[in-house]
Amino acid sequence: DQQVKQNSPSLSVQEGRISILNCDYTNSMFDYFLWYKKYPAEGPTFLISISSIKDKNEDGRFTVFLNKSAKHLSLHIVPSQPGDSAVYFCAATSNFGNEKLTFGTGTRLTIIP
Amino acid sequence: EPEVTQTPSHQVTQMGQEVILRCVPISNHLYFYWYRQILGQKVEFLVSFYNNEISEKSEIFDDQFSVERPDGSNFTLKIRSTKLEDSAMYFCASKGDRGDNEQFFGPGTRLTVL
């Protein structure tokens, strides 16, 4: 039951360009979405989040866009830097039920110098 | 900056043995979680814990699993009789308040069951 999907297992982007990572969800009860970054042998690190009452949230080089009607969100990183190379997980949760996070399968982002 | 810590970083055990994975959540946090990630798969929810009791558990969290907060700082996950398929990275997470949504993760414990 893949309630959160990241259809691109990997992505390579030239340094300085924009990285766009995508995520789709199926559960209409999800109303809060998060992006986590993960390096090998480390735990997921919180990056940025967005509530369903918004369609955009920006924090420095990172912007998350939410399209509720399409049940789609995306993470934009601009400009991309070599240190951004990691696995990025999309996660979703519901404010009105349990608070567990449901994760996507992740996208491995490689920034090419 | 406060962080979630986990010990050990790597645990190797024989099938059928009991293991206890330990976590120290961020000190003023009230909600605690365990997740696991089998190699090559996504991070999966196991259990959430609040006010000294389990608030939700997944299908994975069967009778072989238990959680405990034995004192004011530690949060443990016990697997009573490990199986080969329990081999995974186990992550502890915590969050501060019901109004918060961001969970903060520890570095994980790699459990290898032989």
Side-chain angles (χ1 to χ4, degrees), chain B residues 57-97:
Chain B
K57 57 186 181 180
S58 72
E59 293 176 353
I60 303 166
F61 194 89
D62 61 22
D63 293 344
Q64 294 301 312
F65 291 85
S66 62
V67 289
E68 199 175 38
R69 188 157 161 81
D71 53 41
S73 59
N74 289 285
F75 180 49
T76 62
L77 174 69
K78 183 194 289 187
I79 309 175
R80 242 178 294 280
S81 176
T82 50
K83 303 187 283 285
L84 295 176
E85 53 265 38
D86 293 329
S87 294
M89 281 291 289
Y90 287 80
F91 296 106
C92 172
S94 68
K95 74 169 187 175
D97 202 347

mmCIF file of all heavy atoms in Angstrom, chain B residues 57-97:
data_model
loop_
_atom_site.group_PDB
_atom_site.id
_atom_site.type_symbol
_atom_site.label_atom_id
_atom_site.label_comp_id
_atom_site.label_asym_id
_atom_site.label_seq_id
_atom_site.Cartn_x
_atom_site.Cartn_y
_atom_site.Cartn_z
ATOM 1 N N LYS B 57 0.460 1.491 16.861
ATOM 2 C CA LYS B 57 1.481 0.559 16.399
ATOM 3 C C LYS B 57 1.092 0.015 15.036
ATOM 4 O O LYS B 57 -0.092 -0.062 14.689
ATOM 5 C CB LYS B 57 1.696 -0.585 17.393
ATOM 6 C CG LYS B 57 0.446 -1.374 17.717
ATOM 7 C CD LYS B 57 0.735 -2.386 18.803
ATOM 8 C CE LYS B 57 -0.530 -3.201 19.123
ATOM 9 N NZ LYS B 57 -0.276 -4.215 20.189
ATOM 10 N N SER B 58 2.102 -0.350 14.263
ATOM 11 C CA SER B 58 1.851 -0.875 12.922
ATOM 12 C C SER B 58 1.694 -2.392 12.982
ATOM 13 O O SER B 58 1.912 -3.030 14.023
ATOM 14 C CB SER B 58 3.003 -0.502 11.987
ATOM 15 O OG SER B 58 4.156 -1.262 12.309
ATOM 16 N N GLU B 59 1.370 -2.961 11.823
ATOM 17 C CA GLU B 59 1.235 -4.426 11.727
ATOM 18 C C GLU B 59 2.554 -5.130 12.020
ATOM 19 O O GLU B 59 2.571 -6.269 12.462
ATOM 20 C CB GLU B 59 0.777 -4.813 10.317
ATOM 21 C CG GLU B 59 -0.609 -4.360 9.976
ATOM 22 C CD GLU B 59 -0.978 -4.668 8.544
ATOM 23 O OE1 GLU B 59 -0.086 -5.120 7.771
ATOM 24 O OE2 GLU B 59 -2.138 -4.445 8.167
ATOM 25 N N ILE B 60 3.664 -4.425 11.736
ATOM 26 C CA ILE B 60 4.980 -5.024 11.958
ATOM 27 C C ILE B 60 5.208 -5.238 13.454
ATOM 28 O O ILE B 60 5.856 -6.194 13.871
ATOM 29 C CB ILE B 60 6.085 -4.087 11.414
ATOM 30 C CG1 ILE B 60 5.851 -3.788 9.930
ATOM 31 C CG2 ILE B 60 7.459 -4.675 11.649
ATOM 32 C CD1 ILE B 60 6.688 -2.630 9.442
ATOM 33 N N PHE B 61 4.663 -4.360 14.253
ATOM 34 C CA PHE B 61 4.921 -4.333 15.700
ATOM 35 C C PHE B 61 4.060 -5.396 16.363
ATOM 36 O O PHE B 61 2.992 -5.109 16.941
ATOM 37 C CB PHE B 61 4.612 -2.940 16.243
ATOM 38 C CG PHE B 61 5.147 -2.694 17.629
ATOM 39 C CD1 PHE B 61 6.414 -2.186 17.812
ATOM 40 C CD2 PHE B 61 4.365 -2.945 18.760
ATOM 41 C CE1 PHE B 61 6.910 -1.929 19.080
ATOM 42 C CE2 PHE B 61 4.849 -2.704 20.030
ATOM 43 C CZ PHE B 61 6.122 -2.191 20.200
ATOM 44 N N ASP B 62 4.500 -6.662 16.259
ATOM 45 C CA ASP B 62 3.717 -7.753 16.837
ATOM 46 C C ASP B 62 4.162 -8.031 18.272
ATOM 47 O O ASP B 62 4.878 -7.226 18.874
ATOM 48 C CB ASP B 62 3.835 -8.994 15.949
ATOM 49 C CG ASP B 62 5.266 -9.494 15.823
ATOM 50 O OD1 ASP B 62 6.100 -9.186 16.699
ATOM 51 O OD2 ASP B 62 5.552 -10.200 14.840
ATOM 52 N N ASP B 63 3.751 -9.173 18.800
ATOM 53 C CA ASP B 63 4.017 -9.481 20.214
ATOM 54 C C ASP B 63 5.501 -9.634 20.536
ATOM 55 O O ASP B 63 5.875 -9.672 21.711
ATOM 56 C CB ASP B 63 3.293 -10.768 20.603
ATOM 57 C CG ASP B 63 1.787 -10.595 20.592
ATOM 58 O OD1 ASP B 63 1.342 -9.421 20.586
ATOM 59 O OD2 ASP B 63 1.067 -11.605 20.574
ATOM 60 N N GLN B 64 6.323 -9.758 19.509
ATOM 61 C CA GLN B 64 7.756 -9.881 19.761
ATOM 62 C C GLN B 64 8.401 -8.539 20.103
ATOM 63 O O GLN B 64 9.530 -8.491 20.587
ATOM 64 C CB GLN B 64 8.463 -10.466 18.520
ATOM 65 C CG GLN B 64 8.072 -11.897 18.211
ATOM 66 C CD GLN B 64 8.379 -12.818 19.365
ATOM 67 O OE1 GLN B 64 9.476 -12.798 19.921
ATOM 68 N NE2 GLN B 64 7.413 -13.640 19.744
ATOM 69 N N PHE B 65 7.673 -7.470 19.821
ATOM 70 C CA PHE B 65 8.209 -6.130 20.048
ATOM 71 C C PHE B 65 7.582 -5.509 21.298
ATOM 72 O O PHE B 65 6.403 -5.726 21.594
ATOM 73 C CB PHE B 65 7.890 -5.217 18.857
ATOM 74 C CG PHE B 65 8.631 -5.546 17.587
ATOM 75 C CD1 PHE B 65 8.151 -6.503 16.705
ATOM 76 C CD2 PHE B 65 9.809 -4.879 17.276
ATOM 77 C CE1 PHE B 65 8.833 -6.798 15.537
ATOM 78 C CE2 PHE B 65 10.497 -5.169 16.107
ATOM 79 C CZ PHE B 65 10.009 -6.133 15.230
ATOM 80 N N SER B 66 8.371 -4.714 21.995
ATOM 81 C CA SER B 66 7.824 -3.910 23.079
ATOM 82 C C SER B 66 8.646 -2.641 23.215
ATOM 83 O O SER B 66 9.800 -2.584 22.779
ATOM 84 C CB SER B 66 7.816 -4.690 24.403
ATOM 85 O OG SER B 66 9.133 -5.031 24.782
ATOM 86 N N VAL B 67 8.040 -1.617 23.775
ATOM 87 C CA VAL B 67 8.737 -0.360 24.022
ATOM 88 C C VAL B 67 8.559 0.022 25.475
ATOM 89 O O VAL B 67 7.579 -0.357 26.125
ATOM 90 C CB VAL B 67 8.253 0.793 23.113
ATOM 91 C CG1 VAL B 67 8.694 0.590 21.686
ATOM 92 C CG2 VAL B 67 6.758 0.981 23.203
ATOM 93 N N GLU B 68 9.521 0.797 25.944
ATOM 94 C CA GLU B 68 9.488 1.196 27.334
ATOM 95 C C GLU B 68 10.207 2.520 27.487
ATOM 96 O O GLU B 68 11.157 2.812 26.757
ATOM 97 C CB GLU B 68 10.218 0.130 28.174
ATOM 98 C CG GLU B 68 9.905 0.147 29.641
ATOM 99 C CD GLU B 68 10.581 -1.004 30.360
ATOM 100 O OE1 GLU B 68 11.718 -1.346 30.028
ATOM 101 O OE2 GLU B 68 9.952 -1.562 31.279
ATOM 102 N N ARG B 69 9.725 3.311 28.444
ATOM 103 C CA ARG B 69 10.447 4.512 28.823
ATOM 104 C C ARG B 69 10.765 4.354 30.307
ATOM 105 O O ARG B 69 10.010 4.796 31.180
ATOM 106 C CB ARG B 69 9.602 5.745 28.561
ATOM 107 C CG ARG B 69 10.333 7.051 28.741
ATOM 108 C CD ARG B 69 9.655 8.143 27.942
ATOM 109 N NE ARG B 69 10.021 9.470 28.394
ATOM 110 C CZ ARG B 69 11.132 10.091 28.061
ATOM 111 N NH1 ARG B 69 11.994 9.506 27.267
ATOM 112 N NH2 ARG B 69 11.379 11.313 28.490
ATOM 113 N N PRO B 70 11.864 3.651 30.603
ATOM 114 C CA PRO B 70 12.120 3.225 31.975
ATOM 115 C C PRO B 70 12.447 4.361 32.942
ATOM 116 O O PRO B 70 12.273 4.215 34.141
ATOM 117 C CB PRO B 70 13.316 2.276 31.824
ATOM 118 C CG PRO B 70 13.980 2.691 30.557
ATOM 119 C CD PRO B 70 12.888 3.199 29.667
ATOM 120 N N ASP B 71 12.915 5.483 32.405
ATOM 121 C CA ASP B 71 13.218 6.627 33.253
ATOM 122 C C ASP B 71 12.874 7.885 32.471
ATOM 123 O O ASP B 71 12.238 7.804 31.428
ATOM 124 C CB ASP B 71 14.696 6.592 33.677
ATOM 125 C CG ASP B 71 15.618 6.467 32.486
ATOM 126 O OD1 ASP B 71 15.364 7.133 31.455
ATOM 127 O OD2 ASP B 71 16.588 5.709 32.569
ATOM 128 N N GLY B 72 13.310 9.037 32.943
ATOM 129 C CA GLY B 72 12.913 10.274 32.278
ATOM 130 C C GLY B 72 13.639 10.568 30.989
ATOM 131 O O GLY B 72 13.310 11.542 30.320
ATOM 132 N N SER B 73 14.625 9.716 30.638
ATOM 133 C CA SER B 73 15.415 10.087 29.465
ATOM 134 C C SER B 73 15.468 8.995 28.400
ATOM 135 O O SER B 73 15.479 9.300 27.213
ATOM 136 C CB SER B 73 16.832 10.470 29.866
ATOM 137 O OG SER B 73 17.473 9.400 30.526
ATOM 138 N N ASN B 74 15.473 7.722 28.798
ATOM 139 C CA ASN B 74 15.647 6.669 27.802
ATOM 140 C C ASN B 74 14.323 6.182 27.232
ATOM 141 O O ASN B 74 13.283 6.203 27.892
ATOM 142 C CB ASN B 74 16.366 5.481 28.438
ATOM 143 C CG ASN B 74 17.816 5.792 28.716
ATOM 144 O OD1 ASN B 74 18.633 5.830 27.810
ATOM 145 N ND2 ASN B 74 18.135 6.051 29.976
ATOM 146 N N PHE B 75 14.399 5.715 25.992
ATOM 147 C CA PHE B 75 13.252 5.119 25.309
ATOM 148 C C PHE B 75 13.795 3.891 24.591
ATOM 149 O O PHE B 75 14.702 4.000 23.778
ATOM 150 C CB PHE B 75 12.659 6.136 24.326
ATOM 151 C CG PHE B 75 11.462 5.663 23.549
ATOM 152 C CD1 PHE B 75 10.385 5.061 24.171
ATOM 153 C CD2 PHE B 75 11.412 5.854 22.178
ATOM 154 C CE1 PHE B 75 9.275 4.630 23.455
ATOM 155 C CE2 PHE B 75 10.309 5.426 21.434
ATOM 156 C CZ PHE B 75 9.248 4.813 22.076
ATOM 157 N N THR B 76 13.271 2.706 24.934
ATOM 158 C CA THR B 76 13.873 1.488 24.407
ATOM 159 C C THR B 76 12.900 0.697 23.551
ATOM 160 O O THR B 76 11.682 0.741 23.756
ATOM 161 C CB THR B 76 14.360 0.576 25.549
ATOM 162 O OG1 THR B 76 13.240 0.184 26.342
ATOM 163 C CG2 THR B 76 15.388 1.287 26.423
ATOM 164 N N LEU B 77 13.473 -0.038 22.608
ATOM 165 C CA LEU B 77 12.733 -0.985 21.777
ATOM 166 C C LEU B 77 13.325 -2.355 22.035
ATOM 167 O O LEU B 77 14.539 -2.550 21.868
ATOM 168 C CB LEU B 77 12.859 -0.629 20.292
ATOM 169 C CG LEU B 77 12.249 -1.629 19.303
ATOM 170 C CD1 LEU B 77 10.724 -1.631 19.399
ATOM 171 C CD2 LEU B 77 12.672 -1.306 17.870
ATOM 172 N N LYS B 78 12.496 -3.294 22.451
ATOM 173 C CA LYS B 78 12.953 -4.660 22.715
ATOM 174 C C LYS B 78 12.340 -5.581 21.675
ATOM 175 O O LYS B 78 11.136 -5.508 21.398
ATOM 176 C CB LYS B 78 12.535 -5.113 24.111
ATOM 177 C CG LYS B 78 13.053 -6.513 24.454
ATOM 178 C CD LYS B 78 12.369 -7.098 25.675
ATOM 179 C CE LYS B 78 12.778 -6.440 26.936
ATOM 180 N NZ LYS B 78 12.215 -7.154 28.144
ATOM 181 N N ILE B 79 13.190 -6.425 21.122
ATOM 182 C CA ILE B 79 12.712 -7.500 20.256
ATOM 183 C C ILE B 79 13.003 -8.793 21.001
ATOM 184 O O ILE B 79 14.178 -9.115 21.262
ATOM 185 C CB ILE B 79 13.384 -7.501 18.872
ATOM 186 C CG1 ILE B 79 13.306 -6.110 18.238
ATOM 187 C CG2 ILE B 79 12.703 -8.532 17.965
ATOM 188 C CD1 ILE B 79 14.055 -5.987 16.913
ATOM 189 N N ARG B 80 11.968 -9.531 21.352
ATOM 190 C CA ARG B 80 12.100 -10.661 22.276
ATOM 191 C C ARG B 80 12.852 -11.824 21.656
ATOM 192 O O ARG B 80 13.723 -12.403 22.273
ATOM 193 C CB ARG B 80 10.717 -11.130 22.723
ATOM 194 C CG ARG B 80 10.479 -11.003 24.216
ATOM 195 C CD ARG B 80 9.086 -11.438 24.577
ATOM 196 N NE ARG B 80 8.065 -10.563 24.018
ATOM 197 C CZ ARG B 80 7.711 -9.403 24.533
ATOM 198 N NH1 ARG B 80 8.287 -8.942 25.617
ATOM 199 N NH2 ARG B 80 6.775 -8.663 23.969
ATOM 200 N N SER B 81 12.513 -12.192 20.463
ATOM 201 C CA SER B 81 13.120 -13.349 19.802
ATOM 202 C C SER B 81 13.336 -12.961 18.345
ATOM 203 O O SER B 81 12.413 -13.025 17.527
ATOM 204 C CB SER B 81 12.200 -14.568 19.911
ATOM 205 O OG SER B 81 12.736 -15.667 19.199
ATOM 206 N N THR B 82 14.545 -12.545 18.049
ATOM 207 C CA THR B 82 14.807 -11.948 16.741
ATOM 208 C C THR B 82 14.714 -12.979 15.614
ATOM 209 O O THR B 82 15.045 -14.164 15.786
ATOM 210 C CB THR B 82 16.194 -11.298 16.707
ATOM 211 O OG1 THR B 82 17.167 -12.231 17.208
ATOM 212 C CG2 THR B 82 16.224 -10.036 17.534
ATOM 213 N N LYS B 83 14.270 -12.475 14.467
ATOM 214 C CA LYS B 83 14.187 -13.288 13.245
ATOM 215 C C LYS B 83 15.112 -12.673 12.206
ATOM 216 O O LYS B 83 15.499 -11.502 12.308
ATOM 217 C CB LYS B 83 12.751 -13.309 12.712
ATOM 218 C CG LYS B 83 11.725 -13.828 13.706
ATOM 219 C CD LYS B 83 10.363 -13.971 13.056
ATOM 220 C CE LYS B 83 9.639 -12.677 12.882
ATOM 221 N NZ LYS B 83 9.091 -12.168 14.144
ATOM 222 N N LEU B 84 15.447 -13.469 11.212
ATOM 223 C CA LEU B 84 16.334 -12.957 10.157
ATOM 224 C C LEU B 84 15.767 -11.689 9.527
ATOM 225 O O LEU B 84 16.508 -10.735 9.232
ATOM 226 C CB LEU B 84 16.541 -14.013 9.069
ATOM 227 C CG LEU B 84 17.276 -15.284 9.478
ATOM 228 C CD1 LEU B 84 17.313 -16.270 8.314
ATOM 229 C CD2 LEU B 84 18.685 -14.975 9.958
ATOM 230 N N GLU B 85 14.446 -11.653 9.346
ATOM 231 C CA GLU B 85 13.810 -10.519 8.678
ATOM 232 C C GLU B 85 13.727 -9.260 9.547
ATOM 233 O O GLU B 85 13.264 -8.222 9.090
ATOM 234 C CB GLU B 85 12.410 -10.896 8.169
ATOM 235 C CG GLU B 85 11.506 -11.490 9.219
ATOM 236 C CD GLU B 85 11.521 -13.015 9.224
ATOM 237 O OE1 GLU B 85 12.606 -13.619 9.019
ATOM 238 O OE2 GLU B 85 10.442 -13.598 9.449
ATOM 239 N N ASP B 86 14.193 -9.357 10.790
ATOM 240 C CA ASP B 86 14.271 -8.167 11.638
ATOM 241 C C ASP B 86 15.533 -7.354 11.341
ATOM 242 O O ASP B 86 15.693 -6.241 11.863
ATOM 243 C CB ASP B 86 14.273 -8.549 13.127
ATOM 244 C CG ASP B 86 12.944 -9.144 13.567
ATOM 245 O OD1 ASP B 86 11.893 -8.765 13.013
ATOM 246 O OD2 ASP B 86 12.971 -10.009 14.468
ATOM 247 N N SER B 87 16.413 -7.886 10.527
ATOM 248 C CA SER B 87 17.630 -7.157 10.160
ATOM 249 C C SER B 87 17.238 -5.880 9.416
ATOM 250 O O SER B 87 16.551 -5.930 8.395
ATOM 251 C CB SER B 87 18.523 -8.013 9.270
ATOM 252 O OG SER B 87 19.016 -9.131 9.967
ATOM 253 N N ALA B 88 17.672 -4.736 9.956
ATOM 254 C CA ALA B 88 17.268 -3.445 9.404
ATOM 255 C C ALA B 88 17.978 -2.345 10.179
ATOM 256 O O ALA B 88 18.633 -2.602 11.191
ATOM 257 C CB ALA B 88 15.751 -3.249 9.529
ATOM 258 N N MET B 89 17.818 -1.117 9.686
ATOM 259 C CA MET B 89 18.194 0.061 10.475
ATOM 260 C C MET B 89 16.976 0.461 11.284
ATOM 261 O O MET B 89 15.881 0.577 10.744
ATOM 262 C CB MET B 89 18.585 1.224 9.566
ATOM 263 C CG MET B 89 19.968 1.140 8.984
ATOM 264 S SD MET B 89 21.268 1.349 10.216
ATOM 265 C CE MET B 89 21.111 3.096 10.584
ATOM 266 N N TYR B 90 17.156 0.685 12.568
ATOM 267 C CA TYR B 90 16.072 1.106 13.436
ATOM 268 C C TYR B 90 16.331 2.539 13.873
ATOM 269 O O TYR B 90 17.378 2.850 14.425
ATOM 270 C CB TYR B 90 15.966 0.180 14.656
ATOM 271 C CG TYR B 90 15.404 -1.168 14.290
ATOM 272 C CD1 TYR B 90 16.219 -2.146 13.717
ATOM 273 C CD2 TYR B 90 14.052 -1.461 14.486
ATOM 274 C CE1 TYR B 90 15.703 -3.383 13.355
ATOM 275 C CE2 TYR B 90 13.535 -2.695 14.124
ATOM 276 C CZ TYR B 90 14.360 -3.640 13.557
ATOM 277 O OH TYR B 90 13.838 -4.858 13.187
ATOM 278 N N PHE B 91 15.342 3.397 13.589
ATOM 279 C CA PHE B 91 15.475 4.812 13.917
ATOM 280 C C PHE B 91 14.488 5.184 15.020
ATOM 281 O O PHE B 91 13.310 4.853 14.958
ATOM 282 C CB PHE B 91 15.190 5.685 12.698
ATOM 283 C CG PHE B 91 16.165 5.508 11.564
ATOM 284 C CD1 PHE B 91 15.803 4.825 10.416
ATOM 285 C CD2 PHE B 91 17.435 6.044 11.654
ATOM 286 C CE1 PHE B 91 16.698 4.664 9.372
ATOM 287 C CE2 PHE B 91 18.340 5.890 10.615
ATOM 288 C CZ PHE B 91 17.976 5.195 9.479
ATOM 289 N N CYS B 92 14.987 5.912 15.986
ATOM 290 C CA CYS B 92 14.164 6.515 17.006
ATOM 291 C C CYS B 92 13.903 7.960 16.604
ATOM 292 O O CYS B 92 14.773 8.606 15.982
ATOM 293 C CB CYS B 92 14.923 6.467 18.335
ATOM 294 S SG CYS B 92 14.192 7.366 19.685
ATOM 295 N N ALA B 93 12.733 8.484 16.900
ATOM 296 C CA ALA B 93 12.423 9.878 16.601
ATOM 297 C C ALA B 93 11.626 10.454 17.762
ATOM 298 O O ALA B 93 10.974 9.721 18.513
ATOM 299 C CB ALA B 93 11.635 9.995 15.297
ATOM 300 N N SER B 94 11.679 11.779 17.873
ATOM 301 C CA SER B 94 10.858 12.438 18.889
ATOM 302 C C SER B 94 10.346 13.759 18.359
ATOM 303 O O SER B 94 10.908 14.325 17.410
ATOM 304 C CB SER B 94 11.653 12.644 20.188
ATOM 305 O OG SER B 94 12.690 13.592 20.019
ATOM 306 N N LYS B 95 9.265 14.230 18.949
ATOM 307 C CA LYS B 95 8.776 15.566 18.647
ATOM 308 C C LYS B 95 8.270 16.191 19.925
ATOM 309 O O LYS B 95 7.933 15.496 20.896
ATOM 310 C CB LYS B 95 7.703 15.557 17.563
ATOM 311 C CG LYS B 95 6.355 15.051 17.976
ATOM 312 C CD LYS B 95 5.331 15.346 16.888
ATOM 313 C CE LYS B 95 3.946 14.986 17.415
ATOM 314 N NZ LYS B 95 2.883 15.352 16.470
ATOM 315 N N GLY B 96 8.181 17.565 19.871
ATOM 316 C CA GLY B 96 7.953 18.265 21.124
ATOM 317 C C GLY B 96 6.526 18.240 21.617
ATOM 318 O O GLY B 96 6.252 17.938 22.786
ATOM 319 N N ASP B 97 5.603 18.539 20.733
ATOM 320 C CA ASP B 97 4.248 18.821 21.185
ATOM 321 C C ASP B 97 3.260 18.325 20.142
ATOM 322 O O ASP B 97 3.639 18.093 18.998
ATOM 323 C CB ASP B 97 4.098 20.335 21.370
ATOM 324 C CG ASP B 97 2.964 20.685 22.310
ATOM 325 O OD1 ASP B 97 2.151 19.808 22.628
ATOM 326 O OD2 ASP B 97 2.889 21.856 22.738
#
